[in-house]
Amino acid sequence: MTTCLVEIPAQYQTISRQVLKTAATTREVSVPAEYATVTRRVLERAASSKEVVIPGQVQTITRQIIDVEKLKKQGYRFDDNGDIVATPQGDRVLRASSLQTTKDNASKTPSAGAESGEEAYVREVVTPEQFTDVARQVLDQPARVITVEVPGTTKVVKSRVEIIPAKTEEVLIAPAVYGSISKQVLDTPESTREVVIPAEYSTVERQVIDTPASVRKIPVPALTQVVSRRVIDQAASVREEIVPAVYTTVKRQVVDVPPQVREIKVPAQYEDLPYQVKVADARLERRSVLCETNATPSKIMEIQRALLTAGHNPGAVDGVIRANTMRAVNAYQRANSLPVDGFLNLETVKALGVSPN
């Protein structure tokens, strides 16, 4: 076993702190004509810093600061007290504490300046007026009275008119009926002669009136025809009608709520930037390490196999100390709270279960 004087390099630790990414600003918004409960954050206690003494170690203290130089390079304007007064675009910037007054309207607190980290700022944003469409009726044409001539109205009236007057006609219902009657008539008058010659008779047919002709009166109804003609139902007249006024809907923009400005506190935005701080200074310390006389290839291979078993990959198990092997050694040392250096110290070798001899 050999004790060598080794140099322990300085140890660094990566810590994060918040830096100002975007300065606190305010913007103006249009507030409608109504009331609502508004919750806002007010400064209850000013930001401050305290010193904490931590013996034998360094502790990361994160605090919010405003990078004044960076803001000046970006074009932000400052006053003599170190307060931000305007943005690069010309928007006015106010202290958040100057907008808050006490209940008894006491005077504003003095400024500590942007570099103190105790001040918050708000930016004014101009919000244009908002308009709403209001529909209302406006008089497009006034009411007036006009004279309207109402023509006479006609309607079709159906009436029966006499075309042929009623009359009485004699109509022969049945002609005289004659029947044949056989009777004897004198054909040769009898005479006297000395020879008695009996009278001779012959049958003569003739028509005699059996029923004399008669006349009967039959009423013949009047023949009518439907004739359509236009007659005056209502005489033409003139009347006055009131023509109502005609309205048209005209849309125009009117100011419903006058524009107003409300200041909203926009908190500053911070960004975490990691950086390394020294937690221990470099120093010289005597430690027992595995020197070259004991670091044979077979011993190195034992150490490499032990690192693999412990879950740390040393690379190829070839008995040669390379960068992968030392990274695995340092990872094993940190995982087991062993001294971390650039050497195979005997404490690490023994912890891996490898004999140093």
Side-chain angles (χ1 to χ4, degrees), residues 319-350:
V320 180
I321 299 178
R322 292 188 175 89
N324 291 337
T325 301
M326 291 309 303
R327 278 196 292 269
V329 170
N330 293 334
Y332 178 79
Q333 290 171 342
R334 284 190 292 270
N336 294 272
S337 301
L338 297 172
V340 180
D341 50 33
F343 303 94
L344 278 172
N345 55 63
L346 296 184
E347 189 175 355
T348 301
V349 174
K350 291 178 182 179

Side-chain angles (χ1 to χ4, degrees), residues 174-181 183 206-214:
V177 178
Y178 297 92
S180 295
I181 299 174
K183 67 178 182 178
R206 65 176 182 178
Q207 288 184 339
V208 296
I209 296 176
D210 184 20
T211 301
S214 62

Side-chain angles (χ1 to χ4, degrees), residues 148-154 234-239:
V148 179
E149 181 178 354
V150 181
T153 59
T154 60
Q234 184 179 356
S237 61
V238 177
R239 66 178 179 183

Side-chain angles (χ1 to χ4, degrees), residues 300-319:
I300 299 302
M301 291 177 66
E302 288 184 35
I303 294 174
Q304 289 172 339
R305 284 192 288 268
L307 289 172
L308 277 175
T309 304
H312 301 280
N313 185 13
V317 182
D318 53 3

